[in-house]
Amino acid sequence: TQSTWGGLIRADPTRYTTKMAQRPFTSVANPDASVRQAAFKTSRRVLGGLEGGGTNTVLVLLSPDGVVLTKKYGGSSNQWLIGLDQTVSTILELVREAKAEIKMAQDEPLVSLGLCMSGLEQEEQQLALMNQLYQFDPFVASSITAMVDSVGSIYAGSASGGMVLIAGTGSIGMLLTPEDELYRCGGWGHMIGDEGSGYYISSRAINLVFRVLDGMKAYLDDTPQPNVDYLWGQMKRYFNIRAQDELLDVMYRRFEKSYIAGLCSSIAEGANAGDQFCIDLFQNAGQQLGHHAATLLPHYESSRIQILCVGSVFKSFNLLKEGFLSVLDKEIGREWLPEIVLSSVVVESAIGAAYLAARQINQPLHMAYSKMVETFYVYNNEEKRKRSAKENESSSSKLSRSSSMVTGRDSLFLALGTLAAAAMVFGAKFAVSWVQNRQTGMK
C-alpha cells in the first residue's frame, strides 16, 4: 500500500499489518418489528453507548442533541475473560439501571445501542452477543451495533476515522480510514502481546526483579544491572507477600489480569520519584507503543493524522514520551514530515459507540468534537528538528566530556612517566655511586 507515509517509513510494515477482513462493526435490528416501531413513537428518543473492557464497563444514555442523560458503571465485560453469559448479564444490568435512573420504562426500547468492547473483533462474536441480548431482554433497543473498543474510541474523537492507541490493562493499535477500512497492530492478549499495556509493564517488571533476585543478569546485553530495591519493596506491599514464592499463588492460582496490571501505578510513582529502573520500564513501554503507531501510519492518506491515546497508561505520557518519540525519530527518516497530533478523548468511548450505532439507522446525534478531544503533543518537522538538535548537543557534550577525561588521563600518564624516568635516573646514579664507593673501600 503506497500512501502519504509510504516513502517515509524505513521498514515496510504494510507487509505485516493485519487488515480486518470484515467491516469494523456489525449492526442487527431488533427481530421484533413492534419493538422497533415503539422506539420511534415515544415522545423522547434515547440513544445508548457502552464501553466495555477487561476491568471496567461504562454505559452512557444520550439525547439526540448530545446531552448526557446518565452514566452507569460496572465491572469487566470482556467475554474472553468472564464468558459470554456474564458479559450479557453485565450489559443488561447497566441498561436496566440507566433506564430506571432517567425514569424510562423497562419495556421502552432505546432507539439504538452501540457496544464498543475489548475482545469483540470477530463478526461471529458480535452477532452472538447481540442476539443473546435480544433473547434475554427483547426491549433492550430497537437496533444494536457492536464493534471492538478501539473503533468506539476513534468515533469519540472524529467522524472521519483516524488512529487509536489503547494502553490500559491490555493494548492495541487500530487505524480506521474514511472508507471504513480497519487495520490493527497488537491487541492479541497478554499470552501473546499487549505490549505497552499496564499488564505488560507490570509483568515485565516482575520478571526482571525476579531475575535479579535469583542472581541472574536482568538483561542479556551489556545493559547495567538495575537496582530493584524500590520495586521489590512495592511488589511486596502491593501483593501482600514477603518472599518470591508467595507470588506464585497470585500469578497462577488466583490469576487476575487487571489486578496484576494494577502494580503499574506503583511503577509510575517510582518513575516520577526518579527511580531509574521504573523510568526504564516506562520508556520501554513507550517504545512498544511507538512501534504500534509507526506500523499503522503508512495506511493513512493524509498530511495530518490524529492519534487518540486511550487508557490509564497514557496518563503517564511524561514517562512514555521519550521512548515513544525515539521510535518515530528512527522510523520516519525524511526531512518532510506529515503532522502527527497526539490527543486524548475527554469523554467516554461509549459516546463514539453511540454515534456509530445511531448513524446506522440514520438517527442524528450531535457530536461537539472540539469539546471532546484535547491535544497534548504535536510531532512535526519543527519538533523533530528540535529533538535532533538536542540529541546532537547531548552527543557533543558527551564527546567533550570524554575528550576532557582522555586529556586528563593522558596528562596523568605523562606525569607518572616523568616521575618514573626521574626515578630510574636517580636509581642509576645511586647504583654507580655505590659501586664506586665499594671499590674505593676495597682498595
Side-chain angles (χ1 to χ4, degrees), residues 33 59 70 95 122 124 218 267 270 402:
L59 171 71
T70 186
V95 171
Q122 300 171 1
E124 183 180 350
I267 301 173
S402 176

Side-chain angles (χ1 to χ4, degrees), residues 16 29 81 91 115 129 140 165-166 172 184 189 200 204 216 278 369 373 406 412 423:
Y16 306 106
L81 299 177
I91 294 172
L115 308 174
L129 174 59
V140 60
L165 294 179
I166 297 179
I172 190 172
R184 70 174 291 167
Y200 170 86
R204 185 168 182 268
M216 300 172 66
C278 294
Y369 283 116
V373 174
V406 170
L412 177 61

Side-chain angles (χ1 to χ4, degrees), residues 21-49:
Q22 69 276 348
R23 295 183 75 193
F25 54 85
T26 305
S27 296
V28 174
N30 193 307
D32 190 330
S34 63
V35 175
R36 296 198 302 269
Q37 294 169 2
F40 292 92
K41 288 181 179 179
T42 182
S43 59
R44 63 173 177 173
R45 295 185 179 183
V46 179
L47 316 171

